[in-house]
Amino acid sequence: MTRPEPFRIKMIEPLKRLSREERKENISSRGYNVFKLNSDEVFIDMLTDSGMSAMSDAQWGKMLTTDQAYAGSDSYAALAEAVSNIFGFDTFVTVHQGRAAENLLFSTLVKEGDYVPNNMHFDTTYANVKHKGGTPANLVVDDAYYPGKPGDFKGNMDIDKLKDFIEEKGSEKIPVIMLTITNNTAGGQPVSMENIKAVSEVAAEHEIPFFLDACRFAENAYFIRTREKGYEEKDIRDIVRDMFSYADGFTFSAKKDGLANIGGILGTRDEELHKRCVELGIIIEGFPTYGGMACRDLAAIAQGMYEATELDYLRYRNQQVEYLGDKLIEAGVPITRPVGGHAVFIDVKEFLPHIPQVQFPAQSLTAELYIEGGIRGVELGTSAFGETDEEGNVIPAPLEYMRLAIPRRVYTLNQLDYVAECVAKLYDNRDDIQGLRRTYAPELLGHFMAEFEPIE
Ligand code: F0G
């Protein structure tokens, strides 16, 4: 049964489609890196779901009517109420985006030589841990490394791996355990309530603080409701409250399930940690009642958190991602299954088996998709997550993905049909696609600024 969008479109932004020749010129002149394209050179932008949501009339309305104040604006009060109602946290720090919350947390907790386990770190958490002299560790269940393998909660932490890791490194070297919901790096795969609880128990046993990386908390709650026994009839907000009740704290990018274009939150139940993060936050972000944003941004987040936890919205959201996944499966394209919460992840090891990972096949496919259809996806493979050894040789990432993220409430199913057609065409002609040579990459988060050239 079709479930139509639970909204109608009130305002539009015209899109322009450049010619194939123009697109070819654009991508080659930007070192085959889609981060360097201007957005008006892109027809369908699936680079990220972050900060790309279409906001509702209620969000825009609240943005216009809130007062702008350095300290104590009414939008801060609205946000505090939403954080308390939805997450069940009464102490938090407002920051301008998720990675700023990570910076505050890791600057405060992580020392040189420490370890930070996670089911899977996303690029910024990984880099922020490293930046503080720590070592990030991915302890996800093995199924996450088999994109085609079915499974309800392929984002889970492997509890045995976590216990062994603590045993091996010692709890005094682990200042925090993170759990990313949904697990972006594994393909937007969800984490079960059972797993959240189990991680919290291991953390408590070793007296290690347990934090959620909660960017996509609402999508995760929806998966729990549809896939985990006992939650079928539960209200999404009750599920969210349960999820957060197991955590000592959380980092949150409101650019995802806050349905806002900017914003982040660091939540903690630890008064001393809260105090230290507030003090550091004032130095690097701003006074906590605005957190590096305009007060109107806080109003958008507060309203967005309520909208993101409405069941009708989440059904629509999930159906849209599944729709694109199904179209690609019909065309034989290898993708992560089941599809995740915010994006379709194309398994490029299977798509382009003739290109070795050291030649960045997912980067190459991302450039080809731009040339084919003006569509901007993103590489989440060896450029984003690979390493280099001492001689500068590329060490491939375990997974080689091109991600097609779906911004919230932005594109129609016709546009997704077009995306599927373009990807299918590339798949039919996949033998013609060649690898790339990397000519430049900074040490941390190198993929954003990296440059490539075709291998002749
Ligand atoms: N954690 C996860 C799991 C993320 O996906 C992101 C951002 C962050 C933290 C950092 O949040 O961007 O507000 O600083 N992910 C975006 C993406 C950028 O495209 O997946 P941020």
Side-chain angles (χ1 to χ4, degrees), residues 138-181:
N138 290 338
L139 305 179
V140 71
V141 292
D142 287 342
D143 280 1
Y145 294 108
Y146 298 92
K149 198 172 168 191
D152 284 341
F153 292 102
K154 289 167 70 179
N156 279 354
M157 180 90 86
D158 186 316
I159 301 297
D160 289 332
K161 283 189 200 167
L162 178 64
K163 286 181 180 163
D164 291 349
F165 189 83
I166 299 171
E167 179 92 356
E168 188 191 320
K169 307 295 180 197
S171 56
E172 67 290 349
K173 287 266 176 218
I174 304 175
V176 58
I177 296 173
M178 303 283 298
L179 187 65
T180 305
I181 54 170

mmCIF file of all heavy atoms in Angstrom, residues 138-181:
data_model
loop_
_atom_site.group_PDB
_atom_site.id
_atom_site.type_symbol
_atom_site.label_atom_id
_atom_site.label_comp_id
_atom_site.label_asym_id
_atom_site.label_seq_id
_atom_site.Cartn_x
_atom_site.Cartn_y
_atom_site.Cartn_z
ATOM 1 N N ASN A 138 36.929 0.157 16.073
ATOM 2 C CA ASN A 138 35.604 -0.250 15.578
ATOM 3 C C ASN A 138 35.333 -1.692 15.994
ATOM 4 O O ASN A 138 36.047 -2.599 15.564
ATOM 5 C CB ASN A 138 35.552 -0.152 14.046
ATOM 6 C CG ASN A 138 35.577 1.285 13.565
ATOM 7 O OD1 ASN A 138 35.227 2.202 14.305
ATOM 8 N ND2 ASN A 138 35.987 1.480 12.336
ATOM 9 N N LEU A 139 34.328 -1.903 16.846
ATOM 10 C CA LEU A 139 34.064 -3.247 17.368
ATOM 11 C C LEU A 139 32.670 -3.729 16.958
ATOM 12 O O LEU A 139 31.950 -4.354 17.744
ATOM 13 C CB LEU A 139 34.215 -3.234 18.901
ATOM 14 C CG LEU A 139 35.560 -2.704 19.433
ATOM 15 C CD1 LEU A 139 35.574 -2.718 20.955
ATOM 16 C CD2 LEU A 139 36.743 -3.516 18.891
ATOM 17 N N VAL A 140 32.308 -3.437 15.735
ATOM 18 C CA VAL A 140 30.982 -3.789 15.220
ATOM 19 C C VAL A 140 30.867 -5.308 15.011
ATOM 20 O O VAL A 140 31.894 -5.996 14.889
ATOM 21 C CB VAL A 140 30.753 -3.022 13.883
ATOM 22 C CG1 VAL A 140 31.632 -3.586 12.765
ATOM 23 C CG2 VAL A 140 29.294 -2.994 13.472
ATOM 24 N N VAL A 141 29.649 -5.817 14.952
ATOM 25 C CA VAL A 141 29.441 -7.244 14.640
ATOM 26 C C VAL A 141 29.973 -7.532 13.232
ATOM 27 O O VAL A 141 29.922 -6.661 12.354
ATOM 28 C CB VAL A 141 27.940 -7.639 14.719
ATOM 29 C CG1 VAL A 141 27.431 -7.584 16.142
ATOM 30 C CG2 VAL A 141 27.072 -6.743 13.815
ATOM 31 N N ASP A 142 30.472 -8.750 13.031
ATOM 32 C CA ASP A 142 31.105 -9.078 11.744
ATOM 33 C C ASP A 142 30.167 -8.903 10.552
ATOM 34 O O ASP A 142 30.614 -8.592 9.446
ATOM 35 C CB ASP A 142 31.623 -10.529 11.770
ATOM 36 C CG ASP A 142 32.862 -10.649 12.649
ATOM 37 O OD1 ASP A 142 33.483 -9.597 12.938
ATOM 38 O OD2 ASP A 142 33.184 -11.777 13.059
ATOM 39 N N ASP A 143 28.857 -9.079 10.774
ATOM 40 C CA ASP A 143 27.898 -8.970 9.659
ATOM 41 C C ASP A 143 27.979 -7.626 8.941
ATOM 42 O O ASP A 143 27.630 -7.523 7.762
ATOM 43 C CB ASP A 143 26.458 -9.159 10.161
ATOM 44 C CG ASP A 143 26.129 -10.625 10.356
ATOM 45 O OD1 ASP A 143 27.027 -11.464 10.115
ATOM 46 O OD2 ASP A 143 24.985 -10.928 10.761
ATOM 47 N N ALA A 144 28.422 -6.604 9.655
ATOM 48 C CA ALA A 144 28.517 -5.269 9.045
ATOM 49 C C ALA A 144 29.470 -5.274 7.854
ATOM 50 O O ALA A 144 29.372 -4.425 6.973
ATOM 51 C CB ALA A 144 28.990 -4.246 10.079
ATOM 52 N N TYR A 145 30.401 -6.245 7.859
ATOM 53 C CA TYR A 145 31.396 -6.287 6.775
ATOM 54 C C TYR A 145 30.922 -7.125 5.582
ATOM 55 O O TYR A 145 31.669 -7.341 4.641
ATOM 56 C CB TYR A 145 32.728 -6.812 7.321
ATOM 57 C CG TYR A 145 33.347 -5.851 8.328
ATOM 58 C CD1 TYR A 145 33.374 -6.145 9.685
ATOM 59 C CD2 TYR A 145 33.858 -4.618 7.909
ATOM 60 C CE1 TYR A 145 33.914 -5.246 10.609
ATOM 61 C CE2 TYR A 145 34.387 -3.713 8.819
ATOM 62 C CZ TYR A 145 34.414 -4.029 10.160
ATOM 63 O OH TYR A 145 34.933 -3.131 11.058
ATOM 64 N N TYR A 146 29.677 -7.605 5.644
ATOM 65 C CA TYR A 146 29.106 -8.368 4.524
ATOM 66 C C TYR A 146 27.860 -7.643 4.023
ATOM 67 O O TYR A 146 26.736 -7.948 4.445
ATOM 68 C CB TYR A 146 28.777 -9.804 4.966
ATOM 69 C CG TYR A 146 30.013 -10.555 5.408
ATOM 70 C CD1 TYR A 146 30.407 -10.566 6.741
ATOM 71 C CD2 TYR A 146 30.816 -11.196 4.473
ATOM 72 C CE1 TYR A 146 31.570 -11.206 7.147
ATOM 73 C CE2 TYR A 146 31.981 -11.848 4.862
ATOM 74 C CZ TYR A 146 32.345 -11.855 6.202
ATOM 75 O OH TYR A 146 33.496 -12.482 6.588
ATOM 76 N N PRO A 147 28.062 -6.675 3.100
ATOM 77 C CA PRO A 147 26.953 -5.798 2.697
ATOM 78 C C PRO A 147 25.720 -6.545 2.182
ATOM 79 O O PRO A 147 24.597 -6.098 2.420
ATOM 80 C CB PRO A 147 27.570 -4.950 1.578
ATOM 81 C CG PRO A 147 29.037 -4.975 1.828
ATOM 82 C CD PRO A 147 29.335 -6.292 2.461
ATOM 83 N N GLY A 148 25.907 -7.666 1.526
ATOM 84 C CA GLY A 148 24.757 -8.367 0.936
ATOM 85 C C GLY A 148 24.036 -9.284 1.914
ATOM 86 O O GLY A 148 22.971 -9.822 1.609
ATOM 87 N N LYS A 149 24.593 -9.490 3.103
ATOM 88 C CA LYS A 149 24.026 -10.457 4.059
ATOM 89 C C LYS A 149 22.823 -9.858 4.783
ATOM 90 O O LYS A 149 22.915 -8.737 5.293
ATOM 91 C CB LYS A 149 25.119 -10.822 5.064
ATOM 92 C CG LYS A 149 24.849 -12.077 5.831
ATOM 93 C CD LYS A 149 26.054 -12.476 6.654
ATOM 94 C CE LYS A 149 25.636 -13.556 7.635
ATOM 95 N NZ LYS A 149 26.645 -13.829 8.637
ATOM 96 N N PRO A 150 21.696 -10.577 4.821
ATOM 97 C CA PRO A 150 20.546 -10.012 5.536
ATOM 98 C C PRO A 150 20.812 -9.922 7.046
ATOM 99 O O PRO A 150 21.705 -10.594 7.562
ATOM 100 C CB PRO A 150 19.413 -11.002 5.251
ATOM 101 C CG PRO A 150 20.012 -12.179 4.590
ATOM 102 C CD PRO A 150 21.446 -11.914 4.282
ATOM 103 N N GLY A 151 20.020 -9.116 7.730
ATOM 104 C CA GLY A 151 20.188 -8.979 9.186
ATOM 105 C C GLY A 151 19.442 -7.748 9.647
ATOM 106 O O GLY A 151 19.445 -6.731 8.964
ATOM 107 N N ASP A 152 18.790 -7.854 10.799
ATOM 108 C CA ASP A 152 17.965 -6.741 11.270
ATOM 109 C C ASP A 152 18.776 -5.620 11.906
ATOM 110 O O ASP A 152 18.416 -4.452 11.806
ATOM 111 C CB ASP A 152 16.948 -7.253 12.302
ATOM 112 C CG ASP A 152 15.800 -7.989 11.633
ATOM 113 O OD1 ASP A 152 15.619 -7.784 10.413
ATOM 114 O OD2 ASP A 152 15.111 -8.761 12.319
ATOM 115 N N PHE A 153 19.847 -5.994 12.604
ATOM 116 C CA PHE A 153 20.607 -4.982 13.356
ATOM 117 C C PHE A 153 22.107 -5.138 13.076
ATOM 118 O O PHE A 153 22.894 -5.427 13.969
ATOM 119 C CB PHE A 153 20.283 -5.088 14.857
ATOM 120 C CG PHE A 153 18.866 -4.670 15.169
ATOM 121 C CD1 PHE A 153 17.873 -5.618 15.396
ATOM 122 C CD2 PHE A 153 18.525 -3.329 15.185
ATOM 123 C CE1 PHE A 153 16.559 -5.232 15.651
ATOM 124 C CE2 PHE A 153 17.221 -2.929 15.443
ATOM 125 C CZ PHE A 153 16.229 -3.881 15.675
ATOM 126 N N LYS A 154 22.453 -4.909 11.824
ATOM 127 C CA LYS A 154 23.850 -5.069 11.407
ATOM 128 C C LYS A 154 24.741 -3.922 11.892
ATOM 129 O O LYS A 154 25.930 -3.897 11.592
ATOM 130 C CB LYS A 154 23.933 -5.202 9.880
ATOM 131 C CG LYS A 154 23.385 -6.532 9.372
ATOM 132 C CD LYS A 154 23.187 -6.534 7.863
ATOM 133 C CE LYS A 154 24.506 -6.538 7.132
ATOM 134 N NZ LYS A 154 24.278 -6.569 5.658
ATOM 135 N N GLY A 155 24.152 -2.970 12.623
ATOM 136 C CA GLY A 155 24.950 -1.873 13.173
ATOM 137 C C GLY A 155 25.432 -2.144 14.585
ATOM 138 O O GLY A 155 26.198 -1.354 15.149
ATOM 139 N N ASN A 156 25.004 -3.254 15.188
ATOM 140 C CA ASN A 156 25.295 -3.519 16.607
ATOM 141 C C ASN A 156 26.783 -3.572 16.949
ATOM 142 O O ASN A 156 27.607 -3.967 16.111
ATOM 143 C CB ASN A 156 24.706 -4.885 17.009
ATOM 144 C CG ASN A 156 23.211 -4.802 17.310
ATOM 145 O OD1 ASN A 156 22.624 -3.733 17.326
ATOM 146 N ND2 ASN A 156 22.607 -5.966 17.545
ATOM 147 N N MET A 157 27.077 -3.262 18.195
ATOM 148 C CA MET A 157 28.414 -3.523 18.748
ATOM 149 C C MET A 157 28.511 -5.032 19.011
ATOM 150 O O MET A 157 27.531 -5.651 19.455
ATOM 151 C CB MET A 157 28.555 -2.775 20.087
ATOM 152 C CG MET A 157 29.876 -2.932 20.777
ATOM 153 S SD MET A 157 31.064 -1.681 20.282
ATOM 154 C CE MET A 157 30.684 -0.320 21.382
ATOM 155 N N ASP A 158 29.695 -5.611 18.764
ATOM 156 C CA ASP A 158 29.937 -7.008 19.134
ATOM 157 C C ASP A 158 30.362 -7.017 20.608
ATOM 158 O O ASP A 158 31.461 -6.561 20.951
ATOM 159 C CB ASP A 158 31.033 -7.591 18.228
ATOM 160 C CG ASP A 158 31.238 -9.070 18.459
ATOM 161 O OD1 ASP A 158 31.278 -9.493 19.636
ATOM 162 O OD2 ASP A 158 31.356 -9.807 17.469
ATOM 163 N N ILE A 159 29.482 -7.535 21.458
ATOM 164 C CA ILE A 159 29.706 -7.434 22.910
ATOM 165 C C ILE A 159 30.953 -8.217 23.348
ATOM 166 O O ILE A 159 31.709 -7.761 24.216
ATOM 167 C CB ILE A 159 28.444 -7.905 23.682
ATOM 168 C CG1 ILE A 159 27.229 -7.048 23.283
ATOM 169 C CG2 ILE A 159 28.661 -7.864 25.197
ATOM 170 C CD1 ILE A 159 27.334 -5.563 23.618
ATOM 171 N N ASP A 160 31.193 -9.370 22.699
ATOM 172 C CA ASP A 160 32.398 -10.137 23.066
ATOM 173 C C ASP A 160 33.662 -9.378 22.683
ATOM 174 O O ASP A 160 34.635 -9.335 23.441
ATOM 175 C CB ASP A 160 32.393 -11.520 22.397
ATOM 176 C CG ASP A 160 31.346 -12.416 23.024
ATOM 177 O OD1 ASP A 160 31.043 -12.204 24.220
ATOM 178 O OD2 ASP A 160 30.801 -13.289 22.313
ATOM 179 N N LYS A 161 33.619 -8.757 21.493
ATOM 180 C CA LYS A 161 34.791 -7.956 21.079
ATOM 181 C C LYS A 161 35.022 -6.823 22.077
ATOM 182 O O LYS A 161 36.163 -6.513 22.424
ATOM 183 C CB LYS A 161 34.558 -7.338 19.692
ATOM 184 C CG LYS A 161 34.714 -8.293 18.517
ATOM 185 C CD LYS A 161 34.670 -7.483 17.193
ATOM 186 C CE LYS A 161 34.331 -8.352 16.010
ATOM 187 N NZ LYS A 161 33.981 -7.597 14.803
ATOM 188 N N LEU A 162 33.931 -6.209 22.548
ATOM 189 C CA LEU A 162 34.065 -5.090 23.490
ATOM 190 C C LEU A 162 34.675 -5.571 24.811
ATOM 191 O O LEU A 162 35.609 -4.944 25.340
ATOM 192 C CB LEU A 162 32.694 -4.441 23.733
ATOM 193 C CG LEU A 162 32.673 -3.282 24.728
ATOM 194 C CD1 LEU A 162 33.511 -2.098 24.232
ATOM 195 C CD2 LEU A 162 31.231 -2.806 25.001
ATOM 196 N N LYS A 163 34.182 -6.710 25.305
ATOM 197 C CA LYS A 163 34.707 -7.241 26.583
ATOM 198 C C LYS A 163 36.194 -7.579 26.443
ATOM 199 O O LYS A 163 36.997 -7.244 27.321
ATOM 200 C CB LYS A 163 33.932 -8.497 26.987
ATOM 201 C CG LYS A 163 32.529 -8.200 27.496
ATOM 202 C CD LYS A 163 31.861 -9.504 27.893
ATOM 203 C CE LYS A 163 30.459 -9.264 28.412
ATOM 204 N NZ LYS A 163 29.663 -10.505 28.425
ATOM 205 N N ASP A 164 36.549 -8.238 25.328
ATOM 206 C CA ASP A 164 37.962 -8.607 25.104
ATOM 207 C C ASP A 164 38.828 -7.351 24.998
ATOM 208 O O ASP A 164 39.958 -7.323 25.498
ATOM 209 C CB ASP A 164 38.118 -9.427 23.811
ATOM 210 C CG ASP A 164 37.486 -10.808 23.948
ATOM 211 O OD1 ASP A 164 37.130 -11.184 25.083
ATOM 212 O OD2 ASP A 164 37.329 -11.497 22.911
ATOM 213 N N PHE A 165 38.277 -6.338 24.349
ATOM 214 C CA PHE A 165 39.034 -5.100 24.140
ATOM 215 C C PHE A 165 39.344 -4.436 25.487
ATOM 216 O O PHE A 165 40.477 -3.993 25.732
ATOM 217 C CB PHE A 165 38.219 -4.156 23.234
ATOM 218 C CG PHE A 165 38.966 -2.943 22.773
ATOM 219 C CD1 PHE A 165 39.811 -3.014 21.666
ATOM 220 C CD2 PHE A 165 38.842 -1.720 23.425
ATOM 221 C CE1 PHE A 165 40.507 -1.894 21.224
ATOM 222 C CE2 PHE A 165 39.531 -0.601 22.992
ATOM 223 C CZ PHE A 165 40.366 -0.686 21.889
ATOM 224 N N ILE A 166 38.346 -4.407 26.357
ATOM 225 C CA ILE A 166 38.545 -3.780 27.681
ATOM 226 C C ILE A 166 39.575 -4.584 28.489
ATOM 227 O O ILE A 166 40.464 -4.030 29.126
ATOM 228 C CB ILE A 166 37.203 -3.653 28.443
ATOM 229 C CG1 ILE A 166 36.229 -2.766 27.661
ATOM 230 C CG2 ILE A 166 37.424 -3.080 29.843
ATOM 231 C CD1 ILE A 166 34.804 -2.734 28.195
ATOM 232 N N GLU A 167 39.433 -5.900 28.386
ATOM 233 C CA GLU A 167 40.377 -6.796 29.066
ATOM 234 C C GLU A 167 41.807 -6.536 28.600
ATOM 235 O O GLU A 167 42.736 -6.404 29.393
ATOM 236 C CB GLU A 167 39.959 -8.246 28.723
ATOM 237 C CG GLU A 167 40.816 -9.325 29.296
ATOM 238 C CD GLU A 167 40.274 -9.782 30.659
ATOM 239 O OE1 GLU A 167 39.280 -9.199 31.163
ATOM 240 O OE2 GLU A 167 40.850 -10.700 31.184
ATOM 241 N N GLU A 168 41.954 -6.409 27.275
ATOM 242 C CA GLU A 168 43.287 -6.267 26.681
ATOM 243 C C GLU A 168 43.910 -4.889 26.973
ATOM 244 O O GLU A 168 45.083 -4.803 27.340
ATOM 245 C CB GLU A 168 43.146 -6.477 25.168
ATOM 246 C CG GLU A 168 44.456 -6.558 24.427
ATOM 247 C CD GLU A 168 44.238 -6.485 22.916
ATOM 248 O OE1 GLU A 168 43.266 -7.085 22.421
ATOM 249 O OE2 GLU A 168 45.040 -5.785 22.253
ATOM 250 N N LYS A 169 43.107 -3.828 26.817
ATOM 251 C CA LYS A 169 43.679 -2.466 26.954
ATOM 252 C C LYS A 169 43.623 -1.955 28.396
ATOM 253 O O LYS A 169 44.402 -1.069 28.761
ATOM 254 C CB LYS A 169 42.926 -1.461 26.064
ATOM 255 C CG LYS A 169 42.816 -1.864 24.607
ATOM 256 C CD LYS A 169 44.174 -1.909 23.920
ATOM 257 C CE LYS A 169 44.031 -2.318 22.464
ATOM 258 N NZ LYS A 169 45.291 -2.768 21.861
ATOM 259 N N GLY A 170 42.671 -2.467 29.195
ATOM 260 C CA GLY A 170 42.491 -1.989 30.569
ATOM 261 C C GLY A 170 41.523 -0.823 30.617
ATOM 262 O O GLY A 170 41.630 0.111 29.814
ATOM 263 N N SER A 171 40.587 -0.889 31.563
ATOM 264 C CA SER A 171 39.525 0.131 31.582
ATOM 265 C C SER A 171 40.078 1.533 31.846
ATOM 266 O O SER A 171 39.502 2.524 31.417
ATOM 267 C CB SER A 171 38.439 -0.226 32.606
ATOM 268 O OG SER A 171 39.019 -0.402 33.856
ATOM 269 N N GLU A 172 41.245 1.615 32.515
ATOM 270 C CA GLU A 172 41.813 2.954 32.807
ATOM 271 C C GLU A 172 42.278 3.655 31.535
ATOM 272 O O GLU A 172 42.454 4.868 31.518
ATOM 273 C CB GLU A 172 42.932 2.849 33.857
ATOM 274 C CG GLU A 172 44.209 2.131 33.467
ATOM 275 C CD GLU A 172 44.081 0.606 33.287
ATOM 276 O OE1 GLU A 172 43.047 0.020 33.664
ATOM 277 O OE2 GLU A 172 45.028 -0.006 32.747
ATOM 278 N N LYS A 173 42.444 2.894 30.439
ATOM 279 C CA LYS A 173 42.879 3.482 29.153
ATOM 280 C C LYS A 173 41.686 3.790 28.258
ATOM 281 O O LYS A 173 41.839 4.182 27.102
ATOM 282 C CB LYS A 173 43.786 2.472 28.417
ATOM 283 C CG LYS A 173 45.147 2.339 29.021
ATOM 284 C CD LYS A 173 46.092 3.276 28.299
ATOM 285 C CE LYS A 173 47.466 3.303 28.885
ATOM 286 N NZ LYS A 173 48.062 4.610 28.879
ATOM 287 N N ILE A 174 40.462 3.528 28.768
ATOM 288 C CA ILE A 174 39.265 3.738 27.942
ATOM 289 C C ILE A 174 38.367 4.759 28.650
ATOM 290 O O ILE A 174 37.580 4.398 29.522
ATOM 291 C CB ILE A 174 38.526 2.393 27.701
ATOM 292 C CG1 ILE A 174 39.490 1.382 27.068
ATOM 293 C CG2 ILE A 174 37.292 2.596 26.813
ATOM 294 C CD1 ILE A 174 38.934 -0.011 26.893
ATOM 295 N N PRO A 175 38.495 6.035 28.268
ATOM 296 C CA PRO A 175 37.750 7.070 28.998
ATOM 297 C C PRO A 175 36.273 7.126 28.634
ATOM 298 O O PRO A 175 35.483 7.729 29.375
ATOM 299 C CB PRO A 175 38.453 8.367 28.578
ATOM 300 C CG PRO A 175 39.054 8.064 27.249
ATOM 301 C CD PRO A 175 39.396 6.603 27.251
ATOM 302 N N VAL A 176 35.893 6.531 27.520
ATOM 303 C CA VAL A 176 34.492 6.568 27.100
ATOM 304 C C VAL A 176 34.250 5.456 26.068
ATOM 305 O O VAL A 176 35.126 5.131 25.271
ATOM 306 C CB VAL A 176 34.115 7.963 26.517
ATOM 307 C CG1 VAL A 176 34.975 8.364 25.336
ATOM 308 C CG2 VAL A 176 32.642 8.069 26.136
ATOM 309 N N ILE A 177 33.044 4.874 26.128
ATOM 310 C CA ILE A 177 32.609 3.925 25.089
ATOM 311 C C ILE A 177 31.499 4.614 24.307
ATOM 312 O O ILE A 177 30.556 5.145 24.897
ATOM 313 C CB ILE A 177 32.085 2.610 25.719
ATOM 314 C CG1 ILE A 177 33.218 1.896 26.473
ATOM 315 C CG2 ILE A 177 31.473 1.702 24.649
ATOM 316 C CD1 ILE A 177 32.764 0.685 27.277
ATOM 317 N N MET A 178 31.633 4.615 22.976
ATOM 318 C CA MET A 178 30.628 5.260 22.121
ATOM 319 C C MET A 178 29.798 4.184 21.408
ATOM 320 O O MET A 178 30.268 3.068 21.179
ATOM 321 C CB MET A 178 31.286 6.121 21.034
ATOM 322 C CG MET A 178 32.229 7.204 21.489
ATOM 323 S SD MET A 178 31.430 8.671 22.150
ATOM 324 C CE MET A 178 30.483 9.293 20.775
ATOM 325 N N LEU A 179 28.585 4.537 21.035
ATOM 326 C CA LEU A 179 27.757 3.644 20.212
ATOM 327 C C LEU A 179 27.003 4.540 19.225
ATOM 328 O O LEU A 179 26.265 5.440 19.646
ATOM 329 C CB LEU A 179 26.784 2.862 21.100
ATOM 330 C CG LEU A 179 25.968 1.762 20.435
ATOM 331 C CD1 LEU A 179 26.857 0.613 19.939
ATOM 332 C CD2 LEU A 179 24.930 1.187 21.422
ATOM 333 N N THR A 180 27.214 4.312 17.939
ATOM 334 C CA THR A 180 26.662 5.194 16.909
ATOM 335 C C THR A 180 25.340 4.647 16.394
ATOM 336 O O THR A 180 25.286 3.520 15.881
ATOM 337 C CB THR A 180 27.681 5.344 15.757
ATOM 338 O OG1 THR A 180 28.912 5.791 16.317
ATOM 339 C CG2 THR A 180 27.205 6.340 14.717
ATOM 340 N N ILE A 181 24.270 5.444 16.576
ATOM 341 C CA ILE A 181 22.928 5.005 16.171
ATOM 342 C C ILE A 181 22.343 6.036 15.194
ATOM 343 O O ILE A 181 22.312 7.205 15.510
ATOM 344 C CB ILE A 181 22.009 4.867 17.400
ATOM 345 C CG1 ILE A 181 21.971 6.163 18.224
ATOM 346 C CG2 ILE A 181 22.472 3.728 18.302
ATOM 347 C CD1 ILE A 181 20.923 6.205 19.294
#
